[in-house]
Amino acid sequence: MLSRIAQSLFWIGRYLERADDTARILDVQMQVLIEDPGMDERTSCEQLLSVMGVEDYTGIPNRWLILDLLAHNADSPVSIAAAIGAARESARRARETLSTDIWAAINTTWRGLSAAQAMRPPEMFTWVRNRTAMISGIADSTMSRDEGWQFYMLGRSIERVDMTARLLSTAALASGPQVAWPTTLRACGAYESFIRAYRGIEADRQAAEFLLLDRWFPRSIVSSLAQAEKALTKLESSGQRSGFSDEAQRLLGRARTELEYRPLADIVFDLPVEMERLQRSCAAASDAVSARYFAESEAHTWRGGVLL
């Protein structure tokens, strides 16, 4: 497969997942601010901007600033608008390999963004999640399971790990965990699965464990890491009998095993720090994928742990 096409499919997966997960993170933040009147809004918004890698901004951190920087402003590289625009541009570069349905769905989402930005924030977040879910479903039903599909899944899985780590950091930093963790589970679509898995027990530790380590829930970090490793295994054609020649596979495998085999108490003791370490592993894995498979990489850089 041409490196240009492979790279475009990889980044379509990443950008769409980024838009989806940023909407989920903002939904959690807004719900916590509304439901916990005792929370210091400025401190909470500063922490969220730090988690999302936003360092340079003008104005007092509040809900309106984070909506601008993380949702509406297409010039902000970490915003939903920027992610959808970048996904559309990547799709345009790979237009000859995408089905008409996928291209139409991505293009329609991009064209509908202006109208979505006029909605109330919860409605916009729902719109973003519905549109990205629809595109994901179309890709699942129209893409052949060839190398292109593996690159798409690899990009989506790496981004899901990175963004779920940010979502967990946001919940861990919230001053009202009794509000933050149930809201986080709902934002991930995990609340019902969590209740079934833990027989109705609602506790912060169990919620963190579920989103970190549950192998059966597709949005958990361990499940997403395993999916990324699976895609890399299918792309690796050397048939190596021992070890890993693929640096990305080694990095992701090590990140997964460190989570699975360490005591949960060690991980949740300082969850934001652990999640930042995981984000660095995702950054290094993404760089390794680019170096191995993409001959002429686009100018994607990291700032504050965020891939731009």
Side-chain angles (χ1 to χ4, degrees):
M1 172 172 284
L2 291 174
S3 63
R4 172 180 61 84
I5 301 299
Q7 186 178 32
S8 293
L9 291 169
F10 176 81
W11 283 102
I12 289 170
R14 290 208 69 160
Y15 286 131
L16 290 174
E17 186 67 27
R18 184 176 303 176
D20 180 21
D21 291 335
T22 302
R24 294 173 187 273
I25 289 172
L26 286 171
D27 196 18
V28 170
Q29 181 74 6
M30 293 300 169
Q31 287 294 323
V32 171
L33 288 174
I34 291 170
E35 296 181 22
D36 186 3
M39 174 175 288
D40 184 335
E41 181 172 338
R42 177 170 182 169
T43 300
S44 176
C45 292
E46 283 178 343
Q47 290 173 339
L48 176 60
L49 291 172
S50 177
V51 165
M52 297 300 290
V54 180
E55 299 171 352
D56 300 322
Y57 54 87
T58 303
I60 298 173
N62 55 35
R63 67 189 69 190
W64 310 116
L65 181 66
I66 63 173
L67 280 174
D68 178 59
L69 292 176
L70 300 181
H72 299 148
N73 190 348
D75 293 327
S76 173
V78 295
S79 71
I80 293 171
I84 291 175
R88 194 255 187 185
E89 181 61 22
S90 293
R92 188 186 63 79
R93 293 195 189 103
R95 179 66 187 87
E96 66 270 25
T97 65
L98 295 176
S99 70
T100 301
D101 289 341
I102 295 178
W103 164 252
I106 294 175
N107 194 47
T108 301
T109 300
W110 176 72
R111 292 175 67 87
L113 191 57
S114 296
Q117 289 175 331
M119 300 175 182
R120 295 172 56 250
E123 294 170 354
M124 179 188 175
F125 303 149
T126 299
W127 181 85
V128 171
R129 292 169 59 178
N130 288 343
R131 293 298 304 182
T132 53
M134 185 189 72
I135 296 169
S136 179
I138 292 172
D140 184 70
S141 61
T142 63
M143 288 183 70
S144 298
R145 280 6 182 210
D146 54 10
E147 287 185 342
W149 170 258
Q150 303 306 330
F151 279 113
Y152 168 79
M153 288 299 296
L154 177 60
R156 189 176 80 173
S157 299
I158 290 177
E159 188 70 24
R160 182 170 290 180
V161 172
D162 180 87
M163 296 300 284
T164 302
R166 296 177 196 278
L167 189 59
L168 290 173
S169 294
T170 302
L173 290 168
S175 62
Q178 69 278 7
V179 174
W181 282 109
T183 304
T184 300
L185 287 166
R186 289 189 175 93
C188 290
Y191 187 76
E192 289 77 17
S193 296
F194 169 77
I195 291 297
R196 288 197 301 272
Y198 287 88
R199 303 293 191 271
I201 298 173
E202 294 189 44
D204 302 344
R205 180 188 174 92
Q206 281 74 20
E209 180 181 37
F210 185 80
L211 292 174
L212 279 167
L213 303 176
D214 193 277
R215 297 184 182 93
W216 292 357
F217 184 66
R219 299 198 72 88
S220 78
I221 287 178
V222 162
S223 176
S224 299
L225 285 168
Q227 182 62 57
E229 289 181 81
K230 181 180 177 181
L232 284 168
T233 299
K234 292 189 176 182
L235 289 169
E236 176 60 59
S237 57
S238 64
Q240 188 169 337
R241 294 178 62 177
S242 62
F244 296 99
S245 60
D246 190 326
E247 179 68 7
Q249 194 170 6
R250 185 184 67 80
L251 288 165
L252 295 175
R254 185 171 67 183
R256 178 182 54 78
T257 54
E258 283 181 355
L259 286 176
E260 286 191 298
Y261 293 102
R262 285 176 62 194
L264 179 63
D266 291 353
I267 301 173
V268 300
F269 175 74
D270 197 352
L271 191 58
V273 171
E274 294 294 336
M275 295 301 96
E276 185 178 351
R277 182 181 304 165
L278 185 60
Q279 291 161 35
R280 288 197 295 269
S281 294
C282 289
S286 184
D287 289 342
V289 169
S290 296
R292 182 177 177 86
Y293 294 105
F294 309 147
E296 298 179 359
S297 296
E298 297 175 4
H300 298 285
T301 58
W302 287 86
R303 186 183 73 180
V306 178
L307 190 58
L308 309 179

